[in-house]
């Protein structure tokens, strides 16, 4: 079983749509959780951290369910510029800031 | 200003050769990393250095040897290159490695092709 699992997609959605990505992680000792964004042939960049209470940043909302070991990302009012691969990332406590990446979910926002 | 830079951006070489990739960060961070992203886009950590000391060493062939001359630089030397080494190698840095998780800033990547 992969440490971090994501649906690879692609998710093809029209502009303005709401889209949700899910991710599960296998190690219950995971302490920190993130969503990174990676554009084609570019480096990954931090989109947002994920907290147990849920957190929102503009059109983006992230949720964490520790009991189910499940993380989600909701994008509202999708823009063409949201087209990218979204990487679910977890970090173990005391792991030397070692990030474990999912394989990513590809999003394509279309006119 | 480039925060994390890598050279070269592209590297095409033949099997059996030895090559190096260089990484520099100007963020004043203490911790640097090397990641490998394979053809299936899976990104996996290889090494991490904190203030020039190796703190993460994943299961990587010993043909790969990182070197950190100072905390702003982390180079990756690869001996006897193999076809399976073809990938994009990303360098990253973060403020630290302990306590709360620090954001990692990635370099633009080095696309290595072994023929």
């Amino acid at each position: 079983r992969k440490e971090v699992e994501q649906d690879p997609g692609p998710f093809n959605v029209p502009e303005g749509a709401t889209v949700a990505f899910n991710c599960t992680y296998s190690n219950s000792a995971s302490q920190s959780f993130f969503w990174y964004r990676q554009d084609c042939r570019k480096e990954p960049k931090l989109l947002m951290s994920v907290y147990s209470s849920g957190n929102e940043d503009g059109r983006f909302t992230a949720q964490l369910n520790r009991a189910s070991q499940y993380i989600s990302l909701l994008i509202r009012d999708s823009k063409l510029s949201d087209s990218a691969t979204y990487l679910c990332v977890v970090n173990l406590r005391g792991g030397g800031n070692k990030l474990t990446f999912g394989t990513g979910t590809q999003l394509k926002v279309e006119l | 200003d480039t925060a994390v830079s890598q050279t070269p951006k592209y590297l095409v070489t033949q099997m059996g050769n030895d090559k190096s990739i260089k990484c520099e960060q100007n963020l004043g961070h203490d911790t640097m990393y090397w990641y490998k992203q394979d053809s299936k886009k899976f990104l996996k950590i290889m090494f991490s250095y904190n203030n020039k000391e190796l703190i993460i060493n994943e299961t990587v062939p010993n043909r790969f040897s990182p070197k950190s001359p100072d905390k702003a630089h982390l180079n990756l030397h690869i001996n006897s290159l193999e076809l399976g080494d073809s990938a994009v190698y990303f360098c990253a840095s973060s403020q630290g490695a302990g306590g709360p998780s620090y954001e990692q800033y990635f370099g633009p990547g080095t696309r290595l092709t072994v023929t």
Side-chain angles (χ1 to χ4, degrees):
Chain A
R1 184 183 172 187
K2 289 180 186 166
E3 293 183 75
V4 180
E5 296 216 49
Q6 293 181 251
D7 180 344
F11 284 57
N12 298 324
V13 303
E15 222 180 353
T18 295
V19 60
F21 305 139
N22 303 320
C23 163
T24 57
Y25 59 95
S26 61
N27 193 329
S28 58
S30 298
Q31 275 302 112
S32 307
F33 309 89
F34 310 92
W35 284 101
Y36 273 71
R37 170 190 169 134
Q38 186 172 24
D39 292 292
C40 187
R41 300 179 77 88
K42 298 285 190 183
E43 71 273 22
K45 291 184 180 176
L46 179 66
L47 178 66
M48 58 197 304
S49 301
V50 188
Y51 305 113
S52 296
S53 53
N55 48 299
E56 191 172 304
D57 182 0
R59 298 180 293 107
F60 298 84
T61 301
Q63 294 275 358
L64 166 64
N65 183 323
R66 284 187 185 271
S68 303
Q69 295 180 202
Y70 171 96
I71 306 162
S72 65
L73 176 68
L74 183 78
I75 306 175
R76 289 181 299 279
D77 189 22
S78 302
K79 311 287 184 197
L80 293 175
S81 57
D82 294 334
S83 298
T85 296
Y86 291 83
L87 302 164
C88 178
V89 186
V90 305
N91 190 348
L92 289 174
R93 186 209 309 258
N97 204 19
K98 172 187 160 185
L99 298 183
T100 301
F101 285 78
T103 49
T105 298
Q106 189 179 7
L107 172 66
K108 295 181 181 177
V109 182
E110 301 162 333
L111 285 171
Chain B
D1 282 346
T2 305
V4 183
S5 59
Q6 295 179 228
T7 53
K9 191 166 183 180
Y10 299 96
L11 183 54
V12 181
T13 188
Q14 291 185 325
M15 279 173 52
N17 285 347
D18 303 338
K19 290 292 177 187
S20 291
I21 307 172
K22 296 187 175 181
C23 178
E24 176 180 1
Q25 54 94 3
N26 62 7
L27 296 166
H29 287 169
D30 284 341
T31 311
M32 296 185 72
Y33 313 80
W34 276 111
Y35 288 85
K36 178 181 179 180
Q37 188 166 42
D38 61 25
S39 57
K40 295 183 180 174
K41 309 296 185 190
F42 183 53
L43 193 63
K44 189 166 169 57
I45 192 164
M46 301 171 70
F47 303 102
S48 173
Y49 272 73
N50 186 61
N51 216 355
K52 301 195 297 174
E53 182 185 340
L54 182 66
I55 57 169
I56 295 174
N57 186 354
E58 291 295 286
T59 308
V60 175
N62 58 15
R63 298 182 294 104
F64 289 78
S65 52
K67 281 203 170 74
S68 183
D70 56 63
K71 71 177 192 176
H73 295 84
L74 180 62
N75 304 323
L76 183 65
H77 188 75
I78 315 170
N79 288 328
S80 303
L81 278 154
E82 300 177 356
L83 292 176
D85 298 332
S86 296
V88 181
Y89 292 84
F90 286 102
C91 177
S93 74
S94 66
Q95 187 179 343
S101 186
Y102 294 104
E103 179 178 353
Q104 293 187 20
Y105 295 81
F106 284 77
T110 295
R111 188 170 295 272
L112 171 65
T113 304
V114 182
T115 62

